[in-house]
Amino acid sequence: MQMNYLSTHSLLKRRAGYKKFLTLLSSTLSPVLISGLLLTNAAKAESDIDQDNLDDIVYQAMKVKPNIDNGRNLYRNCAVCHSPEGWGAASGRYPQIAGQHISVNIKQLRDIHDGNRDNPTMVPFTAPLFVQGAQSLADVSAYINQLPMVPNNSVGYGSELAEGKKLYDENCKECHKANGEGNAEKFYPRIQGQHYSYLVRQLHWIKNGKRRNADKKMVKQLQKFTFREIDLMSDYVSRLRPDKSIVAESIYWKNPDFRAGFYSAPRD
Amino acid sequence: MSDTKKIAVFFITFFMFSLSNSVWSDSMLDEQLREVASGGTEKQLNQLIKKGANVNAPGKYGKRPLMYAAEAGNIDIAVSLLSYGAEVNARTKKGDTALTLATQNGHASISALLIEFGANVHDRTRVGMDSLMIAAKSGNVSIVEQLLQFNADVRSSDNLGNTALMYAIKGGHTKVVMALFNNSRRIAPCIPNNIGVTPLMAAINEGHTDIINIVLPKIKHVDFQDNFGTAALHYAADKNNMEVVKYLVEHQAKINLEDSDKETALFYAVRAENVDVVKYLLGNKADKSLKNSEGITAYQLAVEKKNQALVDLLK
């Protein structure tokens, strides 16, 4: 399965060049020929649906040098739900965001802000970031990225892991990589070590169209999956271990940027 | 006074004095905290809490620091108070909560925060309004969506029987009406308020065409009458809304349905001098011989109005 949340930056550039080429052609060739070319283009680009909707701000944010200190201040409002450590909730109510790729964080913030994901309680918190601009987006995303991941995320029942692996290898591996580390350059999120219930919920939401920032091809592929298959795949993914260098040393690790006893939203 | 009594009085006075002093100093800190919560900075708040101010200390009428922050829309202070464990569902004597106050003042980020911290979305004020009704009344789509995501009850009504849908309609907030229909399967577009007015009647009365277009196709009982016997057709005839009159007649609304004064839609159209509606109703078998409770026909009413076009139609 091609889990294209987005296509690459280079692909975007290639498409922009292709459009220019078509514009040039339009002055010389007949409209019939042009429409034929456009149709072919549309068919080819079926899996690249989101790229045209991407704002420049996403790419601007990826280009600027992040300021972690500012990110720390901005993250304070995020911490009340995602926890100071960014580990989310084992119940799956909040995802683990610690260690997520900067590009993915920026892109997801954009999607939530634009209403491509149903998250009405997070929308008001994304708005100030977009008002402040690309630098703030980059800062908070980079701060989240450098947080160590939770060593004991919640996992599924552990039955039929072999089938879960088979499903993952056949459908997800191509984009999310063998160990679920994703691809920062291509906006494919890190899914290894994510909470099991969160994975199940998101896959169902992508399948039934509630989460609208997944590409059409991924939605189409997921629609073939049964509840059981989604469960098995999520179970397998939740058990993929991130590299030790990006995982916290202990489950008792506390984010030193926050005072002891910092309450966050209920976890269940 | 004996010596024993004197000693006793001295100790009691000393004890009372020391107690009142500590209570007084604490209440001063708490008072300052409430002021800071309303318009101060996070740094000031942290200093006061370190000195021993109580994050949950209620002020006059039971209003707490978190409520002040929610009312003022101070997100940094609200985050701080919650991170110190401020109580989310405390209520004032009037029945307000931090959530209802944030909603009333349109602070979507604070309402989101409170909802995530477990604020009760069903809490009502003394007049029976919950946060959903308040948000619908003020036309705040983002708060409405937040509340619906966390299972706010779209069918609940206040002391007057008005639901969130009714408030959105009265305020002419089309986006809120759309959000209510899009985000909840439980929404009931036919539920009347305490005087029997349905959302459709309210929409016709207010003349919001966009909202009428959303609500009208969802109506099942076209002849529903309010407490005065007035049906949607009466409202449409009165407001000269030809589109709705046609829709209702085409959907088998009783054209000669009488209200409590025995007046049909024809009377309403004549009284409002809506010639086109009168013409349409007459063309669809409206009975012009019917008399109202005062014994007057539609024709006599037209004569009273001195409207020659209507007189000619009703002759």
Side-chain angles (χ1 to χ4, degrees):
Chain A
M1 176 167 55
Q2 273 199 335
M3 287 190 167
N4 279 12
Y5 290 97
L6 272 183
S7 72
T8 62
H9 192 185
S10 56
L11 221 156
L12 239 183
K13 279 181 178 171
R14 249 167 45 207
R15 289 195 67 206
Y18 190 47
K19 278 179 185 170
K20 273 183 191 170
F21 172 64
L22 285 178
T23 322
L24 249 173
L25 269 179
S26 64
S27 56
T28 51
L29 297 179
S30 71
V32 179
L33 183 58
I34 294 299
S35 61
L37 276 169
L38 280 171
L39 276 174
T40 323
N41 182 43
K44 275 181 186 172
E46 200 194 353
S47 62
D48 307 328
I49 45 156
D50 285 339
Q51 7 178 312
D52 290 338
N53 297 330
L54 265 183
D55 264 15
D56 282 346
I57 194 163
V58 173
Y59 289 114
Q60 280 169 23
M62 284 171 67
K63 280 178 198 165
V64 298
K65 192 185 172 193
N67 177 351
I68 298 288
D69 288 335
N70 187 37
R72 184 181 297 119
N73 294 334
L74 292 169
Y75 181 69
R76 198 170 152 276
N77 286 357
C78 316
V80 284
C81 290
H82 290 280
S83 82
E85 290 74 34
W87 291 353
S91 64
R93 181 170 171 178
Y94 305 111
Q96 164 163 235
I97 51 173
Q100 188 54 269
H101 302 302
I102 298 177
S103 57
V104 174
N105 286 336
I106 296 171
K107 164 72 168 49
Q108 296 306 312
L109 283 168
R110 176 83 227 176
D111 283 338
I112 288 167
H113 182 254
D114 283 1
N116 291 333
R117 289 180 62 177
D118 286 343
N119 200 340
T121 49
M122 193 168 156
V123 174
F125 293 96
T126 58
L129 291 174
F130 284 89
V131 172
Q132 288 165 30
Q135 182 67 53
S136 292
L137 275 173
D139 297 347
V140 73
S141 302
Y143 180 80
I144 293 166
N145 172 260
Q146 57 86 44
L147 289 171
M149 294 176 75
V150 66
N152 63 338
N153 63 299
S154 66
V155 292
Y157 296 104
S159 57
E160 302 174 80
L161 285 176
E163 197 178 339
K165 180 179 176 355
K166 193 180 164 222
L167 286 167
Y168 180 81
D169 288 347
E170 285 170 2
N171 299 287
C172 323
K173 192 177 160 185
E174 190 184 334
C175 298
H176 288 278
K177 301 287 173 66
N179 200 32
E181 59 268 40
N183 187 331
E185 202 182 311
K186 294 184 177 180
F187 298 94
Y188 301 139
R190 183 189 297 282
I191 51 174
Q192 54 184 189
Q194 184 55 271
H195 298 297
Y196 162 75
S197 308
Y198 179 77
L199 286 168
V200 172
R201 193 172 77 233
Q202 294 308 309
L203 287 175
H204 279 295
W205 280 4
I206 292 170
K207 182 183 170 182
N208 63 28
K210 188 170 162 64
R211 182 168 166 159
R212 297 172 294 280
N213 63 342
D215 75 11
K216 277 180 190 167
K217 197 169 179 182
M218 182 179 170
V219 176
K220 209 180 281 177
Q221 281 174 307
L222 269 175
Q223 275 165 354
K224 292 186 294 189
F225 282 30
T226 60
F227 274 60
R228 182 178 157 274
E229 284 169 334
I230 287 181
D231 234 39
L232 296 181
M233 206 158 58
S234 306
D235 193 357
Y236 175 73
V237 172
S238 67
R239 287 164 192 273
L240 293 173
R241 291 293 96 207
D243 190 89
K244 277 186 180 173
S245 62
I246 58 165
V247 178
E249 287 169 3
S250 144
I251 54 168
Y252 301 109
W253 181 82
K254 293 286 172 198
N255 189 344
D257 296 333
F258 288 80
R259 67 176 159 74
F262 184 96
Y263 280 88
S264 46
R267 307 283 87 194
D268 298 321
Chain B
M1 195 183 283
S2 69
D3 286 350
T4 328
K5 275 185 181 175
K6 276 181 186 171
I7 292 166
V9 168
F10 171 76
F11 274 111
I12 289 168
T13 316
F14 179 76
F15 175 73
M16 293 290 285
F17 178 75
S18 58
L19 190 71
S20 64
N21 197 29
S22 65
V23 169
W24 178 77
S25 61
D26 276 359
S27 67
M28 278 297 286
L29 274 179
D30 294 343
E31 181 61 40
Q32 282 174 15
L33 187 75
R34 285 189 291 273
E35 278 172 21
V36 165
S38 187
T41 63
E42 199 193 332
K43 200 178 167 187
Q44 291 171 320
L45 185 95
N46 288 337
Q47 280 171 353
L48 286 169
I49 292 172
K50 271 180 194 166
K51 281 182 190 170
N54 178 4
V55 288
N56 285 318
K60 209 177 178 186
Y61 308 119
K63 210 167 169 184
R64 301 182 183 222
L66 185 61
M67 297 175 186
Y68 282 99
E71 198 174 35
N74 197 331
I75 184 73
D76 290 338
I77 297 284
V79 166
S80 266
L81 287 167
L82 287 168
S83 76
Y84 277 108
E87 197 181 331
V88 180
N89 285 313
R91 306 180 72 132
T92 64
K93 287 179 183 171
K94 265 176 73 186
D96 285 322
T97 63
L99 180 61
T100 57
L101 289 167
T103 309
Q104 269 166 17
N105 292 283
H107 302 308
S109 49
I110 295 189
S111 64
L113 202 61
L114 293 165
I115 292 169
E116 290 287 1
F117 266 78
N120 187 353
V121 293
H122 307 296
D123 268 344
R124 294 155 179 266
T125 60
R126 268 194 186 168
V127 290
M129 284 183 85
D130 63 15
S131 297
L132 187 65
M133 295 174 209
I134 297 169
K137 191 178 179 183
S138 58
N140 197 320
V141 184
S142 25
I143 299 182
V144 166
E145 284 176 347
Q146 288 168 13
L147 293 161
L148 290 174
Q149 182 100 342
F150 281 76
N151 302 323
D153 188 2
V154 280
R155 291 190 180 192
S156 67
S157 52
D158 66 1
N159 294 355
L160 300 172
N162 289 320
T163 60
L165 177 63
M166 197 65 118
Y167 278 111
I169 290 172
K170 282 182 178 174
H173 305 304
T174 312
K175 283 185 180 173
V176 173
V177 174
M178 284 165 75
L180 288 168
F181 277 101
N182 292 341
N183 290 286
S184 178
R185 290 180 188 168
R186 292 190 67 249
I187 190 157
C190 305
I191 290 183
N193 64 11
N194 290 358
I195 54 165
V197 173
T198 64
L200 176 62
M201 293 174 189
I204 297 169
N205 206 30
E206 302 292 335
H208 303 307
T209 314
D210 291 343
I211 297 174
I212 293 170
N213 291 339
I214 297 169
V215 177
L216 196 54
K218 296 178 171 65
I219 300 303
K220 287 178 184 164
H221 186 10
V222 285
D223 288 328
F224 186 87
Q225 291 166 285
D226 66 17
N227 295 2
F228 310 100
T230 321
L233 188 61
H234 292 89
Y235 277 89
D238 180 52
K239 293 289 173 186
N240 199 21
N241 196 326
M242 196 60 172
E243 295 290 317
V244 179
V245 170
K246 277 184 183 172
Y247 181 94
L248 292 169
V249 172
E250 283 164 12
H251 286 76
Q252 280 76 48
K254 289 176 189 166
I255 205 157
N256 291 316
L257 190 70
E258 292 174 342
D259 69 4
S260 51
D261 292 329
K262 291 195 163 190
E263 291 198 343
T264 62
L266 187 65
F267 279 86
Y268 279 71
V270 171
R271 186 169 286 112
E273 301 184 54
N274 299 329
V275 181
D276 289 341
V277 175
V278 171
K279 203 182 286 178
Y280 180 81
L281 290 171
L282 289 172
N284 283 278
K285 299 178 185 172
D287 190 348
K288 60 182 178 183
S289 66
L290 292 173
K291 290 178 179 176
N292 68 9
S293 56
E294 290 172 3
I296 293 171
T297 61
Y299 170 73
Q300 287 167 315
L301 194 61
V303 173
E304 264 181 35
K305 288 272 171 194
K306 295 174 185 170
N307 187 320
Q308 195 53 46
L310 289 176
V311 172
D312 293 343
L313 278 170
L314 292 159
K315 250 179 200 172

PDB file of all heavy atoms in Angstrom, chain B residues 110-130:
ATOM      1  N   ILE B 110      -9.961  27.986  25.012  1.00  0.00           N
ATOM      2  CA  ILE B 110     -10.172  27.633  26.426  1.00  0.00           C
ATOM      3  C   ILE B 110     -11.266  26.571  26.555  1.00  0.00           C
ATOM      4  O   ILE B 110     -11.133  25.625  27.332  1.00  0.00           O
ATOM      5  CB  ILE B 110     -10.481  28.884  27.266  1.00  0.00           C
ATOM      6  CG1 ILE B 110      -9.245  29.775  27.245  1.00  0.00           C
ATOM      7  CG2 ILE B 110     -10.886  28.516  28.685  1.00  0.00           C
ATOM      8  CD1 ILE B 110      -9.252  30.945  28.157  1.00  0.00           C
ATOM      9  N   SER B 111     -12.318  26.707  25.751  1.00  0.00           N
ATOM     10  CA  SER B 111     -13.360  25.680  25.818  1.00  0.00           C
ATOM     11  C   SER B 111     -12.771  24.321  25.416  1.00  0.00           C
ATOM     12  O   SER B 111     -13.074  23.306  26.043  1.00  0.00           O
ATOM     13  CB  SER B 111     -14.549  26.052  24.934  1.00  0.00           C
ATOM     14  OG  SER B 111     -14.162  26.084  23.586  1.00  0.00           O
ATOM     15  N   ALA B 112     -11.889  24.320  24.405  1.00  0.00           N
ATOM     16  CA  ALA B 112     -11.253  23.063  23.967  1.00  0.00           C
ATOM     17  C   ALA B 112     -10.447  22.449  25.097  1.00  0.00           C
ATOM     18  O   ALA B 112     -10.532  21.253  25.374  1.00  0.00           O
ATOM     19  CB  ALA B 112     -10.358  23.339  22.767  1.00  0.00           C
ATOM     20  N   LEU B 113      -9.693  23.300  25.753  1.00  0.00           N
ATOM     21  CA  LEU B 113      -8.850  22.858  26.864  1.00  0.00           C
ATOM     22  C   LEU B 113      -9.698  22.258  27.986  1.00  0.00           C
ATOM     23  O   LEU B 113      -9.394  21.183  28.514  1.00  0.00           O
ATOM     24  CB  LEU B 113      -8.106  24.088  27.383  1.00  0.00           C
ATOM     25  CG  LEU B 113      -6.826  23.916  28.154  1.00  0.00           C
ATOM     26  CD1 LEU B 113      -5.807  23.227  27.281  1.00  0.00           C
ATOM     27  CD2 LEU B 113      -6.304  25.277  28.585  1.00  0.00           C
ATOM     28  N   LEU B 114     -10.765  22.959  28.320  1.00  0.00           N
ATOM     29  CA  LEU B 114     -11.627  22.501  29.412  1.00  0.00           C
ATOM     30  C   LEU B 114     -12.304  21.182  29.061  1.00  0.00           C
ATOM     31  O   LEU B 114     -12.408  20.280  29.899  1.00  0.00           O
ATOM     32  CB  LEU B 114     -12.679  23.574  29.728  1.00  0.00           C
ATOM     33  CG  LEU B 114     -12.123  24.872  30.315  1.00  0.00           C
ATOM     34  CD1 LEU B 114     -13.157  25.983  30.254  1.00  0.00           C
ATOM     35  CD2 LEU B 114     -11.665  24.638  31.758  1.00  0.00           C
ATOM     36  N   ILE B 115     -12.738  21.076  27.814  1.00  0.00           N
ATOM     37  CA  ILE B 115     -13.399  19.833  27.396  1.00  0.00           C
ATOM     38  C   ILE B 115     -12.407  18.672  27.485  1.00  0.00           C
ATOM     39  O   ILE B 115     -12.736  17.592  27.976  1.00  0.00           O
ATOM     40  CB  ILE B 115     -13.965  19.974  25.967  1.00  0.00           C
ATOM     41  CG1 ILE B 115     -15.122  20.974  25.943  1.00  0.00           C
ATOM     42  CG2 ILE B 115     -14.437  18.635  25.434  1.00  0.00           C
ATOM     43  CD1 ILE B 115     -15.564  21.381  24.560  1.00  0.00           C
ATOM     44  N   GLU B 116     -11.183  18.900  27.026  1.00  0.00           N
ATOM     45  CA  GLU B 116     -10.166  17.845  27.093  1.00  0.00           C
ATOM     46  C   GLU B 116      -9.857  17.472  28.541  1.00  0.00           C
ATOM     47  O   GLU B 116      -9.502  16.341  28.834  1.00  0.00           O
ATOM     48  CB  GLU B 116      -8.877  18.288  26.392  1.00  0.00           C
ATOM     49  CG  GLU B 116      -8.983  18.384  24.886  1.00  0.00           C
ATOM     50  CD  GLU B 116      -9.033  17.031  24.171  1.00  0.00           C
ATOM     51  OE1 GLU B 116      -9.007  16.000  24.853  1.00  0.00           O
ATOM     52  OE2 GLU B 116      -9.138  17.023  22.934  1.00  0.00           O
ATOM     53  N   PHE B 117      -9.988  18.420  29.450  1.00  0.00           N
ATOM     54  CA  PHE B 117      -9.727  18.148  30.866  1.00  0.00           C
ATOM     55  C   PHE B 117     -10.950  17.563  31.583  1.00  0.00           C
ATOM     56  O   PHE B 117     -10.952  17.438  32.797  1.00  0.00           O
ATOM     57  CB  PHE B 117      -9.260  19.417  31.585  1.00  0.00           C
ATOM     58  CG  PHE B 117      -7.759  19.533  31.640  1.00  0.00           C
ATOM     59  CD1 PHE B 117      -7.054  19.956  30.534  1.00  0.00           C
ATOM     60  CD2 PHE B 117      -7.060  19.202  32.789  1.00  0.00           C
ATOM     61  CE1 PHE B 117      -5.667  20.048  30.578  1.00  0.00           C
ATOM     62  CE2 PHE B 117      -5.671  19.291  32.837  1.00  0.00           C
ATOM     63  CZ  PHE B 117      -4.977  19.710  31.722  1.00  0.00           C
ATOM     64  N   GLY B 118     -11.967  17.261  30.824  1.00  0.00           N
ATOM     65  CA  GLY B 118     -13.115  16.572  31.411  1.00  0.00           C
ATOM     66  C   GLY B 118     -14.235  17.473  31.882  1.00  0.00           C
ATOM     67  O   GLY B 118     -15.031  17.068  32.729  1.00  0.00           O
ATOM     68  N   ALA B 119     -14.320  18.688  31.329  1.00  0.00           N
ATOM     69  CA  ALA B 119     -15.442  19.554  31.711  1.00  0.00           C
ATOM     70  C   ALA B 119     -16.751  18.891  31.261  1.00  0.00           C
ATOM     71  O   ALA B 119     -16.812  18.305  30.185  1.00  0.00           O
ATOM     72  CB  ALA B 119     -15.297  20.916  31.036  1.00  0.00           C
ATOM     73  N   ASN B 120     -17.748  19.001  32.104  1.00  0.00           N
ATOM     74  CA  ASN B 120     -19.035  18.366  31.797  1.00  0.00           C
ATOM     75  C   ASN B 120     -19.777  19.198  30.751  1.00  0.00           C
ATOM     76  O   ASN B 120     -20.192  20.323  31.029  1.00  0.00           O
ATOM     77  CB  ASN B 120     -19.857  18.257  33.077  1.00  0.00           C
ATOM     78  CG  ASN B 120     -21.133  17.470  32.880  1.00  0.00           C
ATOM     79  OD1 ASN B 120     -21.469  17.112  31.748  1.00  0.00           O
ATOM     80  ND2 ASN B 120     -21.823  17.193  33.956  1.00  0.00           N
ATOM     81  N   VAL B 121     -19.936  18.632  29.568  1.00  0.00           N
ATOM     82  CA  VAL B 121     -20.587  19.392  28.485  1.00  0.00           C
ATOM     83  C   VAL B 121     -22.101  19.501  28.695  1.00  0.00           C
ATOM     84  O   VAL B 121     -22.773  20.254  27.993  1.00  0.00           O
ATOM     85  CB  VAL B 121     -20.304  18.761  27.094  1.00  0.00           C
ATOM     86  CG1 VAL B 121     -18.857  18.877  26.718  1.00  0.00           C
ATOM     87  CG2 VAL B 121     -20.760  17.307  27.036  1.00  0.00           C
ATOM     88  N   HIS B 122     -22.627  18.753  29.657  1.00  0.00           N
ATOM     89  CA  HIS B 122     -24.080  18.779  29.899  1.00  0.00           C
ATOM     90  C   HIS B 122     -24.483  19.764  30.989  1.00  0.00           C
ATOM     91  O   HIS B 122     -25.681  19.939  31.235  1.00  0.00           O
ATOM     92  CB  HIS B 122     -24.573  17.385  30.268  1.00  0.00           C
ATOM     93  CG  HIS B 122     -24.179  16.338  29.286  1.00  0.00           C
ATOM     94  ND1 HIS B 122     -24.626  16.336  27.993  1.00  0.00           N
ATOM     95  CD2 HIS B 122     -23.353  15.281  29.409  1.00  0.00           C
ATOM     96  CE1 HIS B 122     -24.092  15.300  27.348  1.00  0.00           C
ATOM     97  NE2 HIS B 122     -23.315  14.657  28.177  1.00  0.00           N
ATOM     98  N   ASP B 123     -23.510  20.358  31.661  1.00  0.00           N
ATOM     99  CA  ASP B 123     -23.837  21.298  32.739  1.00  0.00           C
ATOM    100  C   ASP B 123     -24.675  22.458  32.218  1.00  0.00           C
ATOM    101  O   ASP B 123     -24.420  22.977  31.133  1.00  0.00           O
ATOM    102  CB  ASP B 123     -22.545  21.856  33.351  1.00  0.00           C
ATOM    103  CG  ASP B 123     -22.083  21.019  34.532  1.00  0.00           C
ATOM    104  OD1 ASP B 123     -22.908  20.237  35.032  1.00  0.00           O
ATOM    105  OD2 ASP B 123     -20.923  21.147  34.930  1.00  0.00           O
ATOM    106  N   ARG B 124     -25.663  22.844  33.019  1.00  0.00           N
ATOM    107  CA  ARG B 124     -26.550  23.932  32.594  1.00  0.00           C
ATOM    108  C   ARG B 124     -26.498  25.095  33.570  1.00  0.00           C
ATOM    109  O   ARG B 124     -26.221  24.905  34.743  1.00  0.00           O
ATOM    110  CB  ARG B 124     -28.005  23.439  32.558  1.00  0.00           C
ATOM    111  CG  ARG B 124     -28.282  22.405  31.537  1.00  0.00           C
ATOM    112  CD  ARG B 124     -29.475  21.589  31.992  1.00  0.00           C
ATOM    113  NE  ARG B 124     -29.804  20.573  31.031  1.00  0.00           N
ATOM    114  CZ  ARG B 124     -30.694  20.738  30.075  1.00  0.00           C
ATOM    115  NH1 ARG B 124     -31.353  21.868  29.963  1.00  0.00           N
ATOM    116  NH2 ARG B 124     -30.958  19.785  29.232  1.00  0.00           N
ATOM    117  N   THR B 125     -26.836  26.250  33.078  1.00  0.00           N
ATOM    118  CA  THR B 125     -26.955  27.412  33.955  1.00  0.00           C
ATOM    119  C   THR B 125     -28.350  27.385  34.600  1.00  0.00           C
ATOM    120  O   THR B 125     -29.134  26.471  34.316  1.00  0.00           O
ATOM    121  CB  THR B 125     -26.803  28.726  33.171  1.00  0.00           C
ATOM    122  OG1 THR B 125     -27.828  28.769  32.194  1.00  0.00           O
ATOM    123  CG2 THR B 125     -25.458  28.816  32.490  1.00  0.00           C
ATOM    124  N   ARG B 126     -28.643  28.365  35.395  1.00  0.00           N
ATOM    125  CA  ARG B 126     -29.938  28.352  36.081  1.00  0.00           C
ATOM    126  C   ARG B 126     -31.126  28.445  35.120  1.00  0.00           C
ATOM    127  O   ARG B 126     -32.219  27.997  35.431  1.00  0.00           O
ATOM    128  CB  ARG B 126     -30.017  29.512  37.070  1.00  0.00           C
ATOM    129  CG  ARG B 126     -29.555  29.100  38.432  1.00  0.00           C
ATOM    130  CD  ARG B 126     -29.960  30.133  39.437  1.00  0.00           C
ATOM    131  NE  ARG B 126     -29.399  29.806  40.747  1.00  0.00           N
ATOM    132  CZ  ARG B 126     -29.407  30.643  41.752  1.00  0.00           C
ATOM    133  NH1 ARG B 126     -29.921  31.826  41.612  1.00  0.00           N
ATOM    134  NH2 ARG B 126     -28.889  30.300  42.902  1.00  0.00           N
ATOM    135  N   VAL B 127     -30.896  29.062  33.971  1.00  0.00           N
ATOM    136  CA  VAL B 127     -32.009  29.152  33.013  1.00  0.00           C
ATOM    137  C   VAL B 127     -32.091  27.900  32.138  1.00  0.00           C
ATOM    138  O   VAL B 127     -32.880  27.834  31.204  1.00  0.00           O
ATOM    139  CB  VAL B 127     -31.906  30.411  32.122  1.00  0.00           C
ATOM    140  CG1 VAL B 127     -32.169  31.661  32.902  1.00  0.00           C
ATOM    141  CG2 VAL B 127     -30.566  30.468  31.400  1.00  0.00           C
ATOM    142  N   GLY B 128     -31.247  26.928  32.455  1.00  0.00           N
ATOM    143  CA  GLY B 128     -31.330  25.644  31.765  1.00  0.00           C
ATOM    144  C   GLY B 128     -30.513  25.570  30.490  1.00  0.00           C
ATOM    145  O   GLY B 128     -30.640  24.616  29.731  1.00  0.00           O
ATOM    146  N   MET B 129     -29.702  26.585  30.246  1.00  0.00           N
ATOM    147  CA  MET B 129     -28.916  26.565  29.002  1.00  0.00           C
ATOM    148  C   MET B 129     -27.609  25.809  29.220  1.00  0.00           C
ATOM    149  O   MET B 129     -26.876  26.100  30.157  1.00  0.00           O
ATOM    150  CB  MET B 129     -28.609  27.986  28.544  1.00  0.00           C
ATOM    151  CG  MET B 129     -29.801  28.678  27.919  1.00  0.00           C
ATOM    152  SD  MET B 129     -29.360  30.305  27.314  1.00  0.00           S
ATOM    153  CE  MET B 129     -28.726  29.912  25.697  1.00  0.00           C
ATOM    154  N   ASP B 130     -27.330  24.847  28.343  1.00  0.00           N
ATOM    155  CA  ASP B 130     -26.034  24.189  28.404  1.00  0.00           C
ATOM    156  C   ASP B 130     -25.077  24.891  27.425  1.00  0.00           C
ATOM    157  O   ASP B 130     -25.480  25.799  26.689  1.00  0.00           O
ATOM    158  CB  ASP B 130     -26.150  22.682  28.138  1.00  0.00           C
ATOM    159  CG  ASP B 130     -26.671  22.359  26.750  1.00  0.00           C
ATOM    160  OD1 ASP B 130     -26.678  23.269  25.898  1.00  0.00           O
ATOM    161  OD2 ASP B 130     -27.059  21.208  26.508  1.00  0.00           O
TER     162      ASP B 130
END
